[in-house]
Amino acid sequence: MITKEDLTTLCELSRLYLSEEEMESYGKEMTDIMNLMDTIGESDFEYNPIDMANAVPFTSLRTDEVTTFSDMDKIVENGPETTENQFVVPKVVD
Amino acid sequence: MKFDTVIGLEIHAELSTNAKVFCSCSAEFGGAPNTHICPVCTAQPGALPIINQSAVEFAIRAGLAFGCEINRYSRFDRKNYFYPDNPKAYQISQLDLPLCINGKIELSTGNVVRINRIHLEEDAGKLVHDDYHNQSWADFNRCSVPLIEIVTEPDIKSAEEAAEVVSKIGLYLKYLGVCDAKMQEGSIRADVNISLKPAGSDKLGDRAELKNMNSMRSIIRAIEYEVERQAEILEDGGVVKQETRRFDDAMGTTSPMRTKENANDYRYFPEPDVLAITFTEEDIENAKARIPLLPHERVAKYVNEYKLTDEDARVITLEKYLSDFYDETVAIYPEYKNVANLFLTEIMRRVKDTEAEEIPFSAQDFAKVVEMADKNTVNRNDAKTIIRIMFEEGGDPMEIAKANGFIVTVDTSAISDFIDNLLKERADLVEDYHNGKQNVFGFFMGQATRALTGKATPMAIKQYLEDALKK
Amino acid sequence: MRTIKEARQMLDEKKISSVELTEEYLKKIKANNEKLGAYITVCEEDAIAQAKKADEKIAKGEASSLTGIPMAIKDNICTMGIKTTCGSKMLESYIPPYNATVMEKLNAEGIVTLGKTSMDEFAMGGSSQTCYYNKPKNPFNPTCVPGGSSGGSAVAVSGDMALCSLGSDTGGSIRQPAAFCGITGMKPTYGSVSRFGLVAFGSSLDQIGPFANSAQDCGTILNVISGRDKNDHTSRDIKLDFNALVGEDIKGKKIGIPKEFFGEGIDEEVKASVMAVADFYKSKGAELVEVSMPTLKYAVSAYYLLACAEASSNLSRYDGVKYGYRTDSPLSYDELVKKSRSEGFGDEVKRRILLGTYALSSGYYDAYYKKAMAVRQQFRREQAEIFEKCDVMLTPTAPTVAYGLNQNIDDPVKMYLADICTVTANIVGIPSISVPCGYDKNGMPIGFSISAKQFDDAKAIQFADIYEREFERKYANI
C-alpha cells in the first residue's frame, strides 16, 4: 500500500508535483504495481556484490589525455536561460 | 563537567590529473566559464562516463602512502541529489567497495589517527551568485574533476590535531604528486565531524558536521567555537542536534545549513555505466614504485646519512620543492652539511612566505656557490651576497663574483714580503715558538690574515708561515 | 524491393540511384506518415544531400554494405543538429551537440537518414501510445498498436517508409514491436553495440538494435554498428560477424523450449504458431529440448525494479537548467526543477520515476532493488545452464498479437505483465531476435524469438534466417 505520505516523500525526492487528483490515481496505480513488485519478496537468492561479469582490469582503463570538445558553444546554446556563458537558475542559498 | 572532544575528518582533495575523471576535458583549474566542458560532464542526454586510469592510480598511490589496503575489486556508485552545480543530478562516487581501506596517520603528539577509507569521486561545478538579479550562475568547468575523499575514524582529540592531520595529508599528497593541495583554490578542503562526550566515557555523543572548511585557520576556529557551543548545550542538560553546519569566517561562529542536506536520502546504487575495476599484484607494485621518498623518510635519510640535525632535516622537508632542490644540489656537490647551512640561512628565509613554489636558479648554480665558499674562491659573506644577487637579478655565480671583485686572489710575493719581515721584527716570538710556545703561531696567523685580506687565502698564509718557521 | 540485400544489388548495378531510392521513401512518408505516425521528424533535405554523396561514393566504387541505404532512426538516438525528442515534451526542442557512436559509424558508411521515429516517451511503454507526438499505428491495422517502445521504427519498416531502422530494446522494445508489425528485429548482446548517444532509460538493460525485413539485413546493420567504443565503458572488445553462420545447416543443433513460456497467459494462436516453428526446426534436423526457467515468475518485478531504479536516476538530469523544457518564471530553484519536470514528463514516465525512487529509497533498498539484483544473478546461472544444454532457445516474442489502441493503457500492471516473454534477455544481456511466423485470424502478425548465449548473436541470426527462407512473409497493404 502506497500511502499519501509515501507518495509525498517520493515526489519530494524525485522533484515532482502531483495535483490532488493525481495523488489519488497515482496512489492507487502505484499500490497495484507494488503489489506486483512484492512477489519478488518470495525469492531468496543471495546477492553477491563481487560481480566479475561486470568488471574490467585496471590496465584497460582510459589513459589520462586531454581532448577538447569542439562544440562547447552548442552545449551552452541549448540552455533555456544563460548569462555570460553560464546557466542561470533562481538564486540558491545554503 | 569535563568533556572529551571527538573529531573525525572527511578530507576532499582534487587530483592533479591532466583530464577529468569521467571525460577527457582538461582538469586544469580556472578557465573562462564553461570552456572545459563536453557532453559527458554537462550531462547531455545519452552521454556516458569513461573512467581515467591516472585518477584511479593517484588514489591508490595515496592509499598506499597512508598504509591502506587496496580493494582488489572496487566499484562505483551513484549518489543522487539535485543541485544546480550537479548536472547529472547524481555524483559518481564509491560506497561499498572503495579503492582503499584501513590506513593510518601518525601525529607529532604520538596519537595515531586511523583512516577508514579513501574513495574516488567527481567534483561538482561552480556557482556564482548574483544578488541583484537574485540568480545563481552555473559554470561546469570543475564538473567531473577527480576528487579523493579521505575519511578518518573519530580519533582526533583537538583542533590542533585536526589541523595537523589536514596539513600532513596535504603535504603527503604534494610529495606523492597527486594533488597541489592549495586550500585557497579549494583543491583540498575538509568536512569536520565533531562531538563531545563526558571525559573518559566511551559512548559517542551526537555530532555536528561542519562543511567545506578551506583554511587551517577556519578549521581551528570552527572547532574551537563548536566545542564551546556543544559544551554549553550539554552542561545545560540539552542534546546536541545531529546536523550539518556552516562556519562563518567573519563572525567566527557556526550555524545550521538551510539546504536539504539535513534531510537527504541519496539513494546510492551501483553505477551501471562504469564497470568495476580489478587490480593485480603487479598493478599495486607499479603504483608503489611511483611513490617518492616521503617527508619522514627524507628526514631519516638527512639525519642518518647526511648527518644533519633533526631540526634542519625537518625544516628542509617542509616543502617538497625545497627538499627536492636540496637533494639535487647534494647530488651534484655532496657536501651535505655545507649545502644545508647556506640552504637554510640564505634560501629558506627568502622563499618562506612566497606563493610561487620555486627557486629562481638551478641546483647546479647553487652547488657552485657552496663550492666556491668551501674552496675559499670567495669568502663566506661574499658567497651569501652572491646568492642574494642570484635571487634579485639572477646570473651565473662566477660572473657575479668576478663582477663584484669577490674572487680571492693569491699574491705569493706579498705573503713572503710581509711574513719574512714580520718574523724578522719579532725574532723573540719566533724563539719562543721554537721553545714550544705553539700559540705564537696563532698570533702570526692573525697578523698576516688581517694584513693580507683580499691578497691571500688563509690556507696559503698558513702554508708559508709553517714553512718559514721551520727554517 | 524490401531488403537491404536487394537494394544493395540494384544500387551497385546502377539500376537505381540512392537519390531515387530516397525520394521514393520520402514520397511514401509524405503519403502515409500522417496516418501511421512513424516519424516525429523527417529530414528531407539532409536525406537527399546524403543520398547524393552516397551516389558519388557508389560511382567511385567505394560503396560498402550500407552506402546509400535509406534508414529511420529512433528518436532517442542522438543525431547532431537534428532534433532528438525521446517522444517527450521535455526534449521538444533539444538539438544534440554530438552524434551517437552508432550514427558516426552509419554516417561513415554513407547511409541516408530519412528521419527520427516516434516512440513511447523515454522508451517507457510497450505500445508507443505514451508518445507526446503523433502516436504510431500498426500498418496491418491502424486501429491497433504497433507495439513499443520502438513503435515508430517498426512502423517505418513495416509500412514501407524505410528500408530498415534502428530502435532500442530495454525490455523488449525492439522485439515486441517487430512481432506486432510483422518484421524482423534484433536485440544484440549487451555490450556489443555502443550505447554512447542513446538516451538512457535502464543503463544496464538498454541496447540499440535493428529492424529490417530479414535476419540477414539485421546482421548487416549490426556488423556496421557493433564493436568496442572508447566512449562506452560497458561496450565489450569483441568483434562479431553477425552473419558468419548464415546458410549453415542446423542438423543436430539443440533448441531449448522453456516450458514456462508456453503456459497460461500466452494466447493459444500464438502458442500454436510458435510450436509450429519448433516442428519446422525439427524437420531441419534440430533437436528440441525442454528446459525450465523457474525464476521466470520473478522476471517482470525484477525487470521493472531494476529498470525504474536506474531510470529514476537517469532522468534526474532533466531539470530545466541545461536544456529542454523549462517552466515559466519559477520563484525558486526548487520550483524550477519540480515544475519543469512535472510539466515536461508524461504520466507513465512520472510513475516509473516514482517507482524507481521508491525501490532505491532508504528502508526499501534491500527489499526491492537488492532483491532484484539477486534475482538477476540467479537468472544468469539458470540461463548458463540452459545454454550448456542448448545452442539456442525458442520462445514467443509476446503473449498476444497487437491489441487495440488505448486498450491496456489505463492498466499499467497488465501492460507490465505483457513484457514477460522479452525481459529476461535484457536482464541477462543475451542476444534475441524476433521473426514473423504467422498471422492470427484477423491477419495480425505473430512473432517468435530465438535467443542465444552472450556473443552467440550469429547463432540466433542463423536460426532466424533458416526459418525466413521458407516462411511466406506478408506485407501490410497501405
Side-chain angles (χ1 to χ4, degrees), chain C residues 311-380:
Chain C
S312 70
S313 175
N314 286 331
L315 270 64
S316 293
R317 67 187 55 193
Y318 306 103
D319 55 6
V321 175
K322 307 166 293 287
Y323 43 70
Y325 179 82
R326 180 187 182 102
T327 191
D328 289 332
S329 52
L331 299 173
S332 67
Y333 165 70
D334 199 53
E335 188 182 293
L336 161 64
V337 178
K338 284 178 177 163
K339 280 196 167 166
S340 299
R341 290 167 63 77
S342 306
E343 294 160 10
F345 288 139
D347 281 335
E348 182 60 19
V349 171
K350 288 181 204 168
R351 207 180 285 129
R352 294 198 191 191
I353 289 174
L354 292 167
L355 172 57
T357 304
Y358 188 59
L360 290 174
S361 58
S362 67
Y364 298 98
Y365 181 91
D366 288 356
Y368 293 115
Y369 182 78
K370 205 165 163 200
K371 278 258 184 202
M373 292 288 271
V375 167
R376 180 178 212 161
Q377 291 178 336
Q378 176 60 19
F379 264 118
R380 281 216 211 99

Side-chain angles (χ1 to χ4, degrees), chain A residues 1-3 6-18 22 25-26 28-57 60-62 67 69-82 87-92, chain C residues 80 93-98 190 228 230 233 236 295 297-298 300-302 304-305 320-326 330-339 341-342 345-348 350-355 357-358 361 364-365 367-368 370-375 377-378 380-382 410-413 416-417:
Chain A
M1 174 69 186
I2 301 286
T3 66
D6 295 333
L7 209 45
T8 315
T9 320
L10 294 177
C11 284
E12 188 52 44
L13 286 173
S14 327
R15 297 297 190 275
L16 290 169
Y17 282 129
L18 290 184
E22 284 173 321
S25 54
Y26 275 69
K28 196 202 149 298
E29 287 160 348
M30 294 274 296
T31 304
D32 296 348
I33 295 168
M34 288 322 294
N35 290 338
L36 172 61
M37 298 302 132
D38 281 327
T39 56
I40 205 164
E42 303 155 13
S43 72
D44 58 351
F45 305 112
E46 217 21 68
Y47 168 59
N48 176 6
I50 309 289
D51 177 4
M52 285 305 172
N54 289 308
V56 290
S60 73
L61 304 183
R62 175 194 119 219
T67 53
F69 180 63
S70 46
D71 296 284
M72 296 188 210
D73 50 335
K74 290 197 172 63
I75 291 176
V76 180
E77 279 165 22
N78 271 326
E81 194 182 340
T82 57
F87 299 86
V88 175
V89 301
K91 185 158 179 269
V92 285
Chain C
M80 186 164 183
S93 58
Y94 180 66
I95 296 174
Y98 75 110
Y190 183 83
R228 168 99 176 101
K230 61 173 178 47
H233 198 222
R236 294 311 177 106
T295 311
K297 57 176 179 290
Y298 304 123
V300 170
S301 340
Y304 275 94
L305 288 167
V321 175
K322 307 166 293 287
Y323 43 70
Y325 179 82
R326 180 187 182 102
L331 299 173
S332 67
Y333 165 70
D334 199 53
E335 188 182 293
L336 161 64
V337 178
K338 284 178 177 163
K339 280 196 167 166
R341 290 167 63 77
S342 306
F345 288 139
D347 281 335
E348 182 60 19
K350 288 181 204 168
R351 207 180 285 129
R352 294 198 191 191
I353 289 174
L354 292 167
L355 172 57
T357 304
Y358 188 59
S361 58
Y364 298 98
Y365 181 91
Y368 293 115
K370 205 165 163 200
K371 278 258 184 202
M373 292 288 271
V375 167
Q377 291 178 336
Q378 176 60 19
R380 281 216 211 99
R381 288 187 284 269
E382 271 177 24
D410 46 3
D411 185 349
V413 173
Y416 294 180
L417 283 167

Side-chain angles (χ1 to χ4, degrees), chain B residues 324-335:
Chain B
D324 288 345
F325 190 87
Y326 174 80
D327 287 348
E328 263 185 82
T329 312
V330 294
I332 299 160
Y333 182 64
E335 285 297 330

